[in-house]
Amino acid sequence: MHALIVVAHPDPQSLTHGVAAHLAEGVTLSDAGHSVEFADLAAEGFDPRFSAADIALHLRKGVLPADVAAEQARIDRADALVLVYPVYWWSMPGLIKGWIDRVFTNGWAYDDRPDIGPVKLLGRLPVHLVGLGGADAGTYMRHGYFGAMKTQIDHGIFDYCGARVVTSEVLFEAGPDHATAHLEAARVIGRRLFVTSGRYEATDAA
């Protein structure tokens, strides 16, 4: 099985990148036949700006941009999509949101048909979301941040396309004092990525 891990953080020494690396290690440790590909959006210079060309593509009047085609091919090769990112203002960074805006196109991720409504096209794709949040679990629960993120991202984006969100996790208090625990949690997520049941139950313990 093959996993695509998408990372959005400008610092390669960040905990975000460490979590992605440990998650990948867990995948390969679970089965020597599993493989991992990284999409480091910051290092690769992916352009997240939704341009006039992207609008034309959405309206089925444009040509698929080469960079978008390359990202879709990466996802098509994968048996699981993993997004690892720091939580900025209670959501994902603009870089990874722009990646979704441009890559999850009409006609590939979903088919927007005026006569019958949108058709979900990514039903085969399991998704694993791993955010790193600076606040503690109590703050997220008290203000409803985690629930709001799940509504926006899990339901609003991936369910719209039919992709099943298997892991929806926030590693809370993502600072130096908790780094070791978060790296181990990431390894556990990786080990369970391709389990037969296809499910990993997220917990506040992270």
Side-chain angles (χ1 to χ4, degrees), residues 36-123:
V36 174
E37 179 180 2
F38 285 97
D40 186 344
L41 301 183
E44 295 171 5
F46 180 81
D47 185 355
R49 294 173 298 177
F50 195 80
S51 68
D54 296 299
I55 293 175
L57 181 65
H58 174 75
L59 298 174
R60 303 180 188 272
K61 298 178 181 178
V63 178
L64 184 67
D67 59 344
V68 172
E71 298 303 313
Q72 290 180 352
R74 278 175 157 177
I75 298 172
D76 287 338
R77 289 194 298 268
D79 298 295
L81 173 65
V82 185
L83 305 185
V84 182
Y85 53 87
V87 176
Y88 291 169
W89 294 107
W90 317 113
S91 187
M92 55 178 57
L95 177 57
I96 202 165
K97 177 58 165 57
W99 180 81
I100 292 170
D101 289 345
R102 297 194 61 218
V103 174
F104 283 59
T105 59
N106 183 18
W108 179 82
Y110 61 93
D111 191 356
D112 192 2
R113 301 181 182 179
D115 53 341
I116 61 173
V119 177
K120 304 178 180 186
L121 299 181
L122 293 183

Side-chain angles (χ1 to χ4, degrees), residues 162-180:
R164 182 168 59 95
V165 176
V166 179
T167 304
S168 185
E169 181 73 276
V170 173
L171 304 181
F172 301 107
E173 297 182 89
D177 293 343
H178 299 85
T180 300

Side-chain angles (χ1 to χ4, degrees), residues 123-198:
R124 69 156 197 92
L125 184 70
V127 174
H128 303 264
L129 305 171
V130 182
L132 287 85
D136 59 23
T139 299
Y140 275 74
M141 293 178 65
R142 186 164 59 254
H143 296 288
Y145 293 142
F146 187 57
M149 289 173 62
K150 286 179 67 67
T151 298
Q152 177 198 41
I153 300 170
D154 302 29
H155 176 73
I157 297 173
F158 293 106
D159 182 65
Y160 188 85
C161 303
R164 182 168 59 95
V165 176
V166 179
T167 304
S168 185
E169 181 73 276
V170 173
L171 304 181
F172 301 107
E173 297 182 89
D177 293 343
H178 299 85
T180 300
H182 291 340
L183 294 174
E184 181 54 36
R187 189 183 285 112
V188 170
I189 294 172
R191 280 183 175 274
R192 298 179 179 179
L193 205 72
F194 292 122
V195 295
T196 303
S197 65

